[in-house]
Each structure stands twice: as C-alpha cells, then as structure tokens.
C-alpha cells in the first residue's frame, strides 16, 4: 500500500497561466475526492468521482476548473487562467468500495499564484 | 447539508497533561463523524471515526472521542499528550450516501515541555 500520491507537491505560477495537478489513488479504490484548503481553514469539498464518473461538483468549482478521471484510475485537476484567489492547498483523497466512508488523503499540492 | 463548528481555534497544553478538543455539528440527516490530524506540510491522517454503535470511539495514538447525539457533539480527548501531538486537528462529518466530508476550521494544538 503506497498511499495516495499527488504531483507536483508545490507549484508557483503567474496569474493567467494554466496549471494541472495529478492524483494517484490507492490501488482499486473506486472513489476519488478533491478538496481545497486555504490558510487557516479546513478543507472544502470540490468534486468527486466514482470510478470514471464525476458524480458531483461543488459551487466552488468555477468554469475555470475541470477534473477528469480517465479509466477510473488517476485523476487530474486543471485550473485555467489562474487567479490569486486560487492559491491554496489542493488535497486528493480516495476510498475503497467496501469502506466508502473512510477517505485516505494524499500530501496535497500547494499552489501559489503570483 | 452539514456544518461543523470547532469551538477552540488554538489549544496550548503542557506535555503529559490531558487535552480536549470540542466539536459541534449540525445536519438534517444521519451522519458519520471523523477526527483528522494534519502535521505541517502534510495531508490529513484519520485519527478515529464514529459510524454507529458505542458512542465512545477509540483511535490511534491514544485519542478517543465521544458522540453525543442530543448535544450534536463529538469531542476529542487524550489523557496525556506528547510533544509529537503538536498539529492541526480537524473535525468532519459526512452523510451516508456520497461520503463527501464537511470540515471544521481546525484546532491548533501546541504541546510545550
């Protein structure tokens, strides 16, 4: 069990640029979640997948955000035309089919938009 | 929809002293309850969870929590803390369908020698 991995761990970009983050869940976990955590706050739900299907998107996920999970394995989160308000830690979590309530978190990707 | 209130933003405590972190939640449906810990620059690690049954839940690293339905609370306790318990602690709830988590704002625990 190698745990949930996220890449890159840190990303610095200029306002207006596009960025893409990757999450590799624990093998055979069918659900995958994305959360965003800003400084001094708890994580906030963004979206989740069951296998390759994206089942729910939060209102926090504006049109500039898109997430995919091709083939139900890894997932990517893309932010287009980044804004300074997008600066945050982006966390990915996965859960197994038989214990769907238990989410295992990755180390996160910290994004800084200058 | 669910919401979580963590009543203490910061809790300083001396090593080997007990600590209690308070958490209240609101929800119109039955929920699962969780406590997560976050060490600096790391992701979240599950400490314990309440799904059903006994209201006293034991977790890792000597932590325990008690679910109180009438007070809609899920307070976390540890009888004797260590320096290594210095971290951010998050209380969270999820519904029983899609399991997406709603977190509180967190409690920073600082353990001093």
């Amino acid at each position: 069990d190698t745990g949930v991995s996220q890449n890159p761990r840190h990303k610095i970009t200029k306002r207006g640029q596009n960025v893409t983050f990757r999450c590799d869940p624990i093998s055979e976990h069918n659900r995958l979640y994305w959360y965003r955590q800003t400084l001094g706050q708890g994580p906030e739900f963004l979206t989740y997948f069951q296998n390759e299907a994206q089942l729910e998107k939060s209102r926090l996920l504006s049109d500039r955000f898109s997430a995919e999970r091709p083939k139900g394995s890894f997932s990517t989160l893309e932010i287009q035309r980044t804004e300074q308000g997008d600066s945050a830690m982006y966390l990915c979590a996965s859960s197994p089919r038989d214990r769907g309530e238990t989410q295992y978190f990755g180390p996160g990707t910290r994004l800084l938009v200058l | 929809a669910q919401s979580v209130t963590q009543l203490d933003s910061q809790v300083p405590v001396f090593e080997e002293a007990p600590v209690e972190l308070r958490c209240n939640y609101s929800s119109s449906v039955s929920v699962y309850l969780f406590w997560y810990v976050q060490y600096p620059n790391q992701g979240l690690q599950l400490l314990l969870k309440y799904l059903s049954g006994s209201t006293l839940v034991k977790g890792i690293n000597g932590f325990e929590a008690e679910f109180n339905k009438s007070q809609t609370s899920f307070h976390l306790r540890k009888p004797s803390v260590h320096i290594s318990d210095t971290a951010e602690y998050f209380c969270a709830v999820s519904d029983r369908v899609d399991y997406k988590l709603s977190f509180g704002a967190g409690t920073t625990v600082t353990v001093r020698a």
Side-chain angles (χ1 to χ4, degrees):
Chain A
D1 182 359
T2 57
V4 178
S5 62
Q6 292 186 246
N7 288 288
R9 292 291 310 276
H10 303 273
K11 179 71 177 179
I12 300 174
T13 190
K14 293 182 179 179
R15 189 175 53 187
Q17 298 294 305
N18 299 344
V19 295
T20 300
F21 309 141
R22 176 178 170 127
C23 171
D24 286 89
I26 294 172
S27 177
E28 298 186 359
H29 279 195
N30 66 326
R31 290 195 179 200
L32 187 149
Y33 299 80
W34 285 97
Y35 295 85
R36 181 172 69 186
Q37 184 180 19
T38 53
L39 222 57
Q41 298 298 317
E44 296 173 292
F45 168 78
L46 292 178
T47 187
Y48 87 98
F49 295 82
Q50 181 164 298
N51 300 314
E52 66 275 9
Q54 187 173 18
L55 296 187
E56 187 173 340
K57 295 194 295 184
S58 161
R59 287 171 296 176
L60 292 174
L61 219 61
S62 74
D63 291 344
R64 296 184 297 105
F65 288 71
S66 63
E68 294 181 341
R69 193 184 182 197
K71 303 179 183 178
S73 55
F74 70 92
S75 176
T76 59
L77 178 68
E78 181 183 16
I79 309 174
Q80 295 183 327
R81 305 181 303 282
T82 53
E83 301 173 356
Q84 287 184 327
D86 296 331
S87 296
M89 173 81 90
Y90 290 83
L91 294 164
C92 175
S94 68
S95 63
R97 190 181 309 273
D98 58 344
R99 284 180 292 115
E101 79 288 341
T102 301
Q103 294 183 29
Y104 297 84
F105 281 82
T109 294
R110 185 171 293 283
L111 173 66
L112 177 60
V113 181
L114 301 176
Chain B
Q2 300 91 36
S3 67
V4 177
T5 302
Q6 292 185 240
L7 297 157
D8 310 288
S9 59
Q10 297 197 28
V11 174
V13 59
F14 286 106
E15 193 175 19
E16 298 183 8
V19 70
E20 178 180 76
L21 308 184
R22 296 178 293 167
C23 172
N24 287 96
Y25 70 94
S26 67
S27 176
S28 56
V29 299
S30 295
V31 296
Y32 295 141
L33 295 153
F34 306 83
W35 276 98
Y36 282 87
V37 61
Q38 186 175 36
Y39 299 102
N41 298 315
Q42 294 187 28
L44 286 85
Q45 180 181 3
L46 181 66
L47 278 177
L48 47 78
K49 60 186 177 184
Y50 173 78
L51 304 181
S52 64
S54 172
T55 58
L56 183 63
V57 180
K58 294 189 182 298
I60 62 171
N61 301 341
F63 285 94
E64 64 180 32
E66 186 151 20
F67 169 58
N68 187 317
K69 187 174 182 179
S70 62
Q71 296 187 8
T72 62
S73 68
F74 190 54
H75 300 334
L76 180 71
R77 302 184 184 95
K78 185 170 182 178
S80 175
V81 296
H82 302 291
I83 298 288
S84 59
D85 292 322
T86 295
E88 187 89 13
Y89 292 79
F90 293 97
C91 181
V93 301
S94 77
D95 65 28
R96 299 187 176 202
V97 177
D98 53 31
Y99 309 125
K100 61 181 188 285
L101 294 164
S102 298
F103 288 87
T107 299
T108 302
V109 173
T110 304
V111 182
R112 298 190 176 99

